[in-house]
Amino acid sequence: MMMDSAEKHYFLERAEAELDLANEATHESAARAHYYLAGFYLDRAHNGAANEN
């Protein structure tokens, strides 16, 4: 099942928000967590769900 454009847009928006939060973070581990989440959202936006067949 392919992801529709609204879902892809959602994941891209979430990735952008996480990158903004990472850049604003004052603690290194918080920034790292936001970058990790941004990567997850970008992966979902470009590759779909991890469990899709």
Side-chain angles (χ1 to χ4, degrees), residues 11-41:
F11 289 124
L12 290 173
E13 289 286 321
R14 289 302 311 142
E16 185 174 348
E18 291 297 338
L19 290 172
D20 289 342
L21 290 168
N23 288 324
E24 295 170 5
T26 57
H27 196 279
E28 182 180 335
S29 60
R32 190 177 312 122
H34 287 298
Y35 283 124
Y36 176 81
L37 288 170
F40 171 79
Y41 286 123

